[in-house]
Amino acid sequence: MIQVIHERIKNIPVLHIVKEKYCDNKLKTVVFYHGFQSQKELYLHYGYLLAEKGFRVILPDAHLHGERKEGASEEEQAMFFWDTVENNIEELEIIVDDLVAKSLASKEAIGVGGVSMGAITSLGILAKYNWVKAAVSLMGSAYYGHFARGLVEQALEMGLEFPFDVNSRIASLNPYDLSEQIEKIGNRPLFLWHGKKDNVVPFAYSEKLYQVLTENKMANDVEFIIDERAKHKVSIEGIEACVSFFDRYM
C-alpha cells in the first residue's frame, strides 16, 4: 500500500510518498519539483510510480505556489520566477538533512527531478550540490542566463515592470547556471526529456546541453529522449522513462 503523507519539513509543505511497509526504512529518495503556477498535488503520479519501485518521494510546494502562494498574482509569480527556482535549490539541503537526521534517507542516495520550472530547478541543483546522485529534467533549461533574458524580454513586451534591476538579478543566477560550469555534472546520471514543439521552454536548450556533454565525452550516463510531436506537456512514455531512469541509476 502506498502512503501519501501531507506534512511540513522545516515549514516547507510537502507530500511524502512511500510504501507503507518501508515507511520507517532508510530508502533511496527522490525530491521531485512541480512546474510554474502549479502545485505538488498535481504531480502525485510521479510519486506513486516511484514509490511502487521502492523509493521515498518528496513533492514540495515551491515558494509562491500551492500552500505557499500567499495570495501572489500570476504577474508576481512570473516576476519572481527565479526567486522561486533559487529558493527550491537552497531548500533541497534542508529537506534532505531532515530526512537523514530521521534515518529515512542517505545523502549518498538522493535523486532530484522535475517538470518545466522543476526541471530548471533540478539542473541548478547539479551546479550547487555535488552529493546529488542523479537528476531528471523534463522540459528544462540549464542555460539560466540566456533563458532569463528571454523571459524578461517577453515580460517587458507584455508591459510587466520589474521592481529590481533586471541585469543584476540575472547576474546573480551565475552560481546556479550549469551551462557555465558543465564540469560540475561530472559522471552523474542525467535524464533529459523534451518535446520538439515546446512553446514555453525551447527544445533547443536540452538539445544544446546534450550536444555539449557529448562533445566533452560526458554523456555516458546521460539519456536524451526527444518527442517529435510534444509541446509543453510530458507524455505518458516520458513519465515512464523518468521512473525507469531513476530505477536503473539509483
Side-chain angles (χ1 to χ4, degrees):
M1 185 178 191
I2 304 294
Q3 284 190 335
V4 179
I5 307 158
H6 179 268
E7 62 185 23
R8 287 182 175 264
I9 296 179
K10 304 295 183 183
N11 213 36
I12 303 166
V14 307
L15 294 179
H16 185 159
I17 306 162
V18 64
K19 274 189 177 178
E20 186 175 19
K21 64 180 179 180
Y22 300 145
C23 187
D24 297 323
N25 294 10
K26 185 180 290 186
L27 300 175
K28 297 177 292 184
T29 298
V30 172
V31 183
F32 199 88
Y33 297 92
H34 65 72
F36 178 57
Q37 294 181 341
S38 189
Q39 61 190 55
K40 60 188 181 304
E41 288 82 3
L42 300 183
Y43 292 78
L44 269 169
H45 49 301
Y46 289 93
Y48 183 92
L49 292 171
L50 284 164
E52 279 284 349
K53 297 287 187 180
F55 287 89
R56 185 181 304 281
V57 185
I58 303 295
L59 305 179
D61 262 334
H63 176 57
L64 300 182
H65 291 70
E67 292 180 63
R68 307 170 82 179
K69 189 173 181 182
E70 299 171 0
S73 66
E74 290 185 5
E75 289 78 13
E76 287 170 322
Q77 287 176 315
M79 192 180 301
F80 297 106
F81 175 87
W82 292 104
D83 295 69
T84 298
V85 170
E86 189 172 337
N87 203 67
N88 277 345
I89 295 170
E90 294 297 328
E91 287 182 345
L92 173 68
E93 194 156 33
I94 295 171
I95 291 169
V96 171
D97 284 350
D98 185 79
L99 295 172
V100 169
K102 294 173 181 173
S103 297
L104 298 177
S106 166
K107 221 164 187 176
E108 289 72 44
I110 301 294
V112 296
V115 174
S116 190
M117 183 178 75
I120 293 167
T121 292
S122 297
L123 293 166
I125 282 170
L126 288 180
K128 181 171 176 66
Y129 302 111
N130 61 10
W131 44 263
V132 170
K133 186 171 183 181
V136 163
S137 168
L138 306 170
M139 310 182 302
S141 171
Y143 295 79
Y144 276 34
H146 190 276
F147 188 46
R149 283 187 286 274
L151 291 178
V152 166
E153 288 174 9
Q154 291 176 25
L156 292 175
E157 288 174 2
M158 294 170 63
L160 191 65
E161 295 183 6
F162 292 88
F164 50 79
D165 181 75
V166 169
N167 290 327
S168 296
R169 183 66 185 104
I170 293 174
S172 72
L173 297 173
N174 286 345
Y176 310 106
D177 192 328
L178 189 62
S179 71
E180 296 293 332
Q181 43 196 335
I182 206 75
E183 71 282 354
K184 288 194 173 179
I185 294 181
N187 296 316
R188 290 182 287 180
L190 173 62
F191 177 75
L192 306 171
W193 185 97
H194 220 130
K196 254 193 174 178
K197 297 182 179 180
D198 195 323
N199 57 348
V200 178
V201 182
F203 165 79
Y205 286 125
S206 291
E207 184 179 45
K208 177 64 174 174
L209 179 60
Y210 184 71
Q211 179 184 349
V212 170
L213 291 172
T214 301
E215 289 171 354
N216 285 276
K217 297 180 170 55
M218 296 173 63
N220 286 345
D221 290 325
V222 178
E223 294 184 26
F224 182 27
I225 293 182
I226 301 168
D227 190 308
E228 297 287 341
R229 295 175 297 174
K231 293 183 179 179
H232 197 64
K233 182 179 180 181
V234 184
S235 67
I236 293 172
E237 292 79 11
I239 295 168
E240 291 173 343
C242 159
V243 173
S244 176
F245 171 84
F246 277 127
D247 194 34
R248 283 198 310 279
Y249 285 102
M250 288 188 62

mmCIF file of all heavy atoms in Angstrom, residues 10-11 13 38 67 76 99 103 115 121 124 158 169 171 221 223 227 237:
data_model
loop_
_atom_site.group_PDB
_atom_site.id
_atom_site.type_symbol
_atom_site.label_atom_id
_atom_site.label_comp_id
_atom_site.label_asym_id
_atom_site.label_seq_id
_atom_site.Cartn_x
_atom_site.Cartn_y
_atom_site.Cartn_z
ATOM 1 N N LYS A 10 10.518 21.395 8.125
ATOM 2 C CA LYS A 10 11.060 22.722 8.447
ATOM 3 C C LYS A 10 10.217 23.825 7.805
ATOM 4 O O LYS A 10 10.723 24.729 7.156
ATOM 5 C CB LYS A 10 12.515 22.833 7.988
ATOM 6 C CG LYS A 10 13.439 21.766 8.544
ATOM 7 C CD LYS A 10 13.596 21.866 10.047
ATOM 8 C CE LYS A 10 14.593 20.829 10.557
ATOM 9 N NZ LYS A 10 14.723 20.857 12.024
ATOM 10 N N ASN A 11 8.928 23.707 7.939
ATOM 11 C CA ASN A 11 7.958 24.691 7.438
ATOM 12 C C ASN A 11 7.776 24.685 5.916
ATOM 13 O O ASN A 11 7.141 25.572 5.359
ATOM 14 C CB ASN A 11 8.305 26.115 7.899
ATOM 15 C CG ASN A 11 7.049 26.948 8.126
ATOM 16 O OD1 ASN A 11 6.032 26.434 8.586
ATOM 17 N ND2 ASN A 11 7.111 28.226 7.786
ATOM 18 N N PRO A 13 5.858 22.877 3.067
ATOM 19 C CA PRO A 13 4.777 21.902 2.871
ATOM 20 C C PRO A 13 5.146 20.903 1.767
ATOM 21 O O PRO A 13 5.565 21.290 0.674
ATOM 22 C CB PRO A 13 3.579 22.751 2.462
ATOM 23 C CG PRO A 13 4.144 24.035 1.974
ATOM 24 C CD PRO A 13 5.467 24.232 2.623
ATOM 25 N N SER A 38 1.876 25.867 -10.707
ATOM 26 C CA SER A 38 1.257 24.584 -10.393
ATOM 27 C C SER A 38 1.398 24.329 -8.896
ATOM 28 O O SER A 38 1.628 25.260 -8.120
ATOM 29 C CB SER A 38 1.916 23.478 -11.233
ATOM 30 O OG SER A 38 1.200 22.272 -11.100
ATOM 31 N N GLU A 67 0.441 25.753 -1.308
ATOM 32 C CA GLU A 67 0.176 26.252 0.043
ATOM 33 C C GLU A 67 1.000 27.484 0.390
ATOM 34 O O GLU A 67 0.727 28.148 1.395
ATOM 35 C CB GLU A 67 0.471 25.151 1.072
ATOM 36 C CG GLU A 67 -0.473 23.974 1.031
ATOM 37 C CD GLU A 67 -0.117 22.940 2.082
ATOM 38 O OE1 GLU A 67 -0.185 23.263 3.284
ATOM 39 O OE2 GLU A 67 0.249 21.809 1.687
ATOM 40 N N GLU A 76 3.034 38.371 -10.234
ATOM 41 C CA GLU A 76 4.065 38.263 -9.194
ATOM 42 C C GLU A 76 4.805 36.931 -9.300
ATOM 43 O O GLU A 76 6.026 36.874 -9.111
ATOM 44 C CB GLU A 76 3.421 38.416 -7.809
ATOM 45 C CG GLU A 76 3.004 39.840 -7.508
ATOM 46 C CD GLU A 76 2.163 39.944 -6.247
ATOM 47 O OE1 GLU A 76 1.329 39.041 -6.001
ATOM 48 O OE2 GLU A 76 2.338 40.919 -5.512
ATOM 49 N N LEU A 99 15.509 14.470 6.535
ATOM 50 C CA LEU A 99 15.283 13.042 6.304
ATOM 51 C C LEU A 99 16.466 12.207 6.801
ATOM 52 O O LEU A 99 16.269 11.129 7.381
ATOM 53 C CB LEU A 99 15.059 12.786 4.809
ATOM 54 C CG LEU A 99 13.803 13.410 4.197
ATOM 55 C CD1 LEU A 99 13.823 13.252 2.682
ATOM 56 C CD2 LEU A 99 12.539 12.782 4.785
ATOM 57 N N SER A 103 16.907 9.228 9.874
ATOM 58 C CA SER A 103 17.328 7.915 9.349
ATOM 59 C C SER A 103 16.358 7.378 8.295
ATOM 60 O O SER A 103 16.167 6.169 8.161
ATOM 61 C CB SER A 103 17.492 6.899 10.489
ATOM 62 O OG SER A 103 18.520 7.308 11.362
ATOM 63 N N VAL A 115 9.507 18.990 -13.574
ATOM 64 C CA VAL A 115 8.896 19.341 -14.852
ATOM 65 C C VAL A 115 8.963 20.851 -15.038
ATOM 66 O O VAL A 115 8.580 21.607 -14.143
ATOM 67 C CB VAL A 115 7.430 18.864 -14.896
ATOM 68 C CG1 VAL A 115 6.748 19.341 -16.163
ATOM 69 C CG2 VAL A 115 7.346 17.351 -14.781
ATOM 70 N N THR A 121 14.969 23.792 -11.939
ATOM 71 C CA THR A 121 15.466 23.641 -10.567
ATOM 72 C C THR A 121 16.462 22.491 -10.465
ATOM 73 O O THR A 121 17.548 22.641 -9.887
ATOM 74 C CB THR A 121 14.287 23.374 -9.612
ATOM 75 O OG1 THR A 121 13.468 24.546 -9.518
ATOM 76 C CG2 THR A 121 14.770 22.995 -8.221
ATOM 77 N N GLY A 124 19.835 23.269 -11.876
ATOM 78 C CA GLY A 124 20.560 24.180 -10.985
ATOM 79 C C GLY A 124 21.092 23.476 -9.751
ATOM 80 O O GLY A 124 22.172 23.811 -9.236
ATOM 81 N N MET A 158 4.925 42.467 -22.608
ATOM 82 C CA MET A 158 3.560 42.372 -22.063
ATOM 83 C C MET A 158 3.260 43.507 -21.090
ATOM 84 O O MET A 158 2.182 43.561 -20.506
ATOM 85 C CB MET A 158 3.393 41.018 -21.353
ATOM 86 C CG MET A 158 3.471 39.825 -22.296
ATOM 87 S SD MET A 158 3.560 38.243 -21.409
ATOM 88 C CE MET A 158 1.984 38.235 -20.545
ATOM 89 N N ARG A 169 19.915 40.998 -11.346
ATOM 90 C CA ARG A 169 19.236 39.761 -10.924
ATOM 91 C C ARG A 169 19.694 38.590 -11.778
ATOM 92 O O ARG A 169 19.946 37.499 -11.258
ATOM 93 C CB ARG A 169 17.708 39.933 -11.043
ATOM 94 C CG ARG A 169 16.942 38.708 -10.546
ATOM 95 C CD ARG A 169 17.136 38.520 -9.062
ATOM 96 N NE ARG A 169 16.534 37.304 -8.553
ATOM 97 C CZ ARG A 169 17.214 36.204 -8.228
ATOM 98 N NH1 ARG A 169 18.534 36.166 -8.386
ATOM 99 N NH2 ARG A 169 16.601 35.147 -7.734
ATOM 100 N N ALA A 171 22.544 38.321 -13.349
ATOM 101 C CA ALA A 171 23.938 38.035 -12.996
ATOM 102 C C ALA A 171 24.030 37.211 -11.719
ATOM 103 O O ALA A 171 24.916 36.362 -11.578
ATOM 104 C CB ALA A 171 24.715 39.338 -12.842
ATOM 105 N N ASP A 221 26.405 8.374 -19.159
ATOM 106 C CA ASP A 221 25.227 8.068 -18.338
ATOM 107 C C ASP A 221 24.144 9.129 -18.505
ATOM 108 O O ASP A 221 23.370 9.398 -17.581
ATOM 109 C CB ASP A 221 25.624 7.933 -16.864
ATOM 110 C CG ASP A 221 26.450 6.687 -16.606
ATOM 111 O OD1 ASP A 221 26.199 5.670 -17.267
ATOM 112 O OD2 ASP A 221 27.364 6.753 -15.763
ATOM 113 N N GLU A 223 20.856 10.227 -20.723
ATOM 114 C CA GLU A 223 19.829 9.788 -21.665
ATOM 115 C C GLU A 223 19.043 11.002 -22.132
ATOM 116 O O GLU A 223 18.670 11.853 -21.328
ATOM 117 C CB GLU A 223 18.875 8.796 -20.997
ATOM 118 C CG GLU A 223 19.523 7.471 -20.610
ATOM 119 C CD GLU A 223 18.512 6.489 -20.054
ATOM 120 O OE1 GLU A 223 17.315 6.611 -20.402
ATOM 121 O OE2 GLU A 223 18.911 5.622 -19.265
ATOM 122 N N ASP A 227 10.691 13.930 -28.013
ATOM 123 C CA ASP A 227 9.344 13.649 -28.500
ATOM 124 C C ASP A 227 9.090 14.587 -29.678
ATOM 125 O O ASP A 227 9.034 15.813 -29.513
ATOM 126 C CB ASP A 227 8.309 13.874 -27.396
ATOM 127 C CG ASP A 227 6.930 13.367 -27.777
ATOM 128 O OD1 ASP A 227 6.445 13.742 -28.871
ATOM 129 O OD2 ASP A 227 6.339 12.602 -26.998
ATOM 130 N N GLU A 237 4.740 8.141 -21.965
ATOM 131 C CA GLU A 237 6.013 7.448 -22.211
ATOM 132 C C GLU A 237 7.171 8.177 -21.548
ATOM 133 O O GLU A 237 8.100 7.554 -21.031
ATOM 134 C CB GLU A 237 6.260 7.350 -23.726
ATOM 135 C CG GLU A 237 5.304 6.428 -24.471
ATOM 136 C CD GLU A 237 3.945 7.057 -24.758
ATOM 137 O OE1 GLU A 237 3.789 8.294 -24.558
ATOM 138 O OE2 GLU A 237 3.035 6.309 -25.174
#
